[in-house]
Amino acid sequence: MTDGFVPQAAPQLRIAAFRAEVDAAIAAVLSGGTYILGEAVAGFEAAFATFAKAPFCVGVASGTDAIALALRALGIGPGDEVIVPGMTFAGTAHAVLHCGATPCFVDVEPESRCIDPDAAAAAVTPRAAAIVPVHLFGAPCDMPRLVAIAERHGLAIVEDCAQSHGASLDGVALGTFGQAAAYSFYPTKNLGCIGDGGAVTTRDPALAVRLRSLRHYGFEGAERISHRPGFNSRLDEMQAAILNVLLPHLEASNDERRIIASAYRRGLAGQAPFGEPVGLPLDAPGNVYHQFAITHPRRDALAARLKQGGIGTAVHYAPGLHRHPAFAGSPQVDLPVTERLAATLLSLPIQPEVAAPAVARIIEAIARQVVAA
Ligand SMILES: *Cc1c(COP(=O)(O)O)cnc(C)c1O
């Protein structure tokens, strides 16, 4: 793939790499007859709990549901405020709305692009009930400081790990710092299926019981008695079967992402397309590079140049969530770092199947000195 168009992401290439095993896994589900909450889901939950270094894993229908059900299982609802970064995917804040609480947006740090602990502490009001730190692009939030703030104010922490499967901070797995962690298996995530899927991990056995109940009509065990208002939010057998094929290869894939990120760092350091320097993501050792997002003052021009050179890019995320009409009910805030990042971030291809063969070409396209006509 050195001449054709290089897409920003191509989940079908990941599936293609394991196609025979995926086909066999799907065939087994098709002929098995249990399509909801069967062996594939139970097997995946056990394997993913081990991978995520959490005692319990509950498969749910999406990453958004994973956050919403975790908040609900922690008792968060109407009248509560949940502190979330302004720079994240919209699903993080929708999950807060789903449980009836109010998302309170705070700014992120310019280097890590993750929630600023000082801003989170400053946003705590008597109604604050939880913080949802997002390990954006696979890079770790400052969890020790966030945990200290949460403990001081009696807040829960639900880590949004939708972009950080397998990431760590100083050797400690992300997703193990808070009461619960939410994962998404949307096709383009580091671990993705071919539809929607998600999971919550926790070390709290009672929380795991409530989550299993919430995802399945409020039932507990096999009895069809609704003990609480519940949902239909299950990871399905076919998605779980595919995830069971891909999970054993996740660590190697994350390693490849790190190698590609290193190549980008070497190739892009000191480069100044349009006479302006390229900003690189923080070099955190535990980063799993869901995205490799650079910053550039002329982001749109750089994206256009890359597109002309046959290279796809994406903007994650603009505008900041505090500017979305859906969240107009949240406290109005000024988030200067979120604003600046929303105007300058550009995600390069980083999925190994896409980026590994094209990384030199991408660097060259960014670095190229264009002579004015
Ligand atoms: C993808 C994503 C979500 C939502 O996950 P879905 O499975 O699409 O519902 C939430 N937060 C972040 C940071 C994400 O990247």
Side-chain angles (χ1 to χ4, degrees), residues 61-67 88-93 134-137 160-163 182-186 188-189 195-198 290 317:
S62 71
T64 304
D65 278 8
I67 303 167
T88 176
F89 178 63
T92 311
V134 180
H135 305 299
L136 197 72
F137 306 148
D160 183 340
C161 293
Q163 305 190 356
Y183 291 86
S184 166
F185 308 119
Y186 181 80
T188 56
K189 307 292 185 183
D196 281 304
H290 173 61
Y317 295 92

Side-chain angles (χ1 to χ4, degrees), residues 39-345:
E39 277 172 24
V41 168
F44 175 72
E45 288 176 338
F48 194 73
T50 302
F51 175 84
K53 303 191 165 55
F56 304 99
C57 171
V58 180
V60 298
S62 71
T64 304
D65 278 8
I67 303 167
L69 295 184
L71 290 171
R72 235 174 229 274
L74 287 162
I76 288 154
D80 290 330
E81 293 179 351
V82 177
I83 296 167
V84 300
M87 176 50 62
T88 176
F89 178 63
T92 311
H94 281 289
V96 176
L97 291 185
H98 286 178
C99 62
T102 303
C104 294
F105 298 111
V106 302
D107 219 345
V108 293
E109 301 173 312
E111 300 81 19
S112 71
R113 292 96 174 244
C114 288
I115 190 166
D116 179 340
D118 290 325
V124 176
T125 72
R127 293 173 154 223
I131 307 176
V132 180
V134 180
H135 305 299
L136 197 72
F137 306 148
C141 296
D142 186 344
M143 290 314 297
R145 287 195 59 208
L146 291 166
V147 167
I149 292 162
E151 283 177 354
R152 191 176 330 131
H153 297 285
L155 311 178
I157 290 184
V158 174
E159 295 177 67
D160 183 340
C161 293
Q163 305 190 356
S164 60
H165 319 63
S168 60
L169 173 63
D170 295 329
V172 181
L174 299 186
T176 63
F177 288 89
Q179 278 66 41
Y183 291 86
S184 166
F185 308 119
Y186 181 80
T188 56
K189 307 292 185 183
N190 290 42
L191 178 63
C193 52
I194 62 159
D196 281 304
V200 184
T201 59
T202 179
R203 76 177 85 81
D204 179 346
L207 195 68
V209 167
R210 287 201 293 283
L211 285 162
R212 286 184 191 288
S213 177
L214 281 172
R215 74 168 172 184
H216 192 48
Y217 312 109
F219 298 159
E220 286 183 4
E223 252 186 356
R224 302 205 150 209
I225 296 168
S226 295
H227 293 270
R228 51 177 63 75
F231 297 83
N232 172 348
S233 179
R234 292 140 335 185
L235 179 66
D236 71 67
E237 284 288 292
M238 194 172 76
Q239 303 308 335
I242 293 165
L243 292 169
N244 279 329
V245 172
L246 298 180
L247 178 59
H249 307 285
L250 175 54
E251 219 155 73
S253 173
N254 282 345
D255 286 342
E256 286 184 74
R257 286 174 186 262
R258 292 190 179 106
I259 290 166
I260 294 162
S262 300
Y264 275 140
R265 279 182 200 290
R266 281 194 305 275
L268 294 177
Q271 296 297 347
F274 308 111
E276 304 264 16
V278 170
L280 296 173
L282 200 64
D283 192 2
N287 196 333
V288 291
Y289 294 100
H290 173 61
Q291 299 295 351
F292 190 90
I294 61 171
T295 56
H296 194 270
R298 295 188 58 193
R299 185 260 315 276
D300 296 339
L302 186 56
R305 178 201 278 190
L306 286 167
K307 190 174 173 195
Q308 261 202 325
I311 294 152
T313 61
V315 171
H316 303 111
Y317 295 92
L321 295 191
H322 63 305
R323 298 240 178 237
H324 288 225
F327 311 121
S330 293
Q332 296 302 297
V333 285
D334 265 343
L335 305 180
V337 179
T338 294
E339 299 276 354
R340 182 151 38 90
L341 288 172
T344 56
L345 281 169

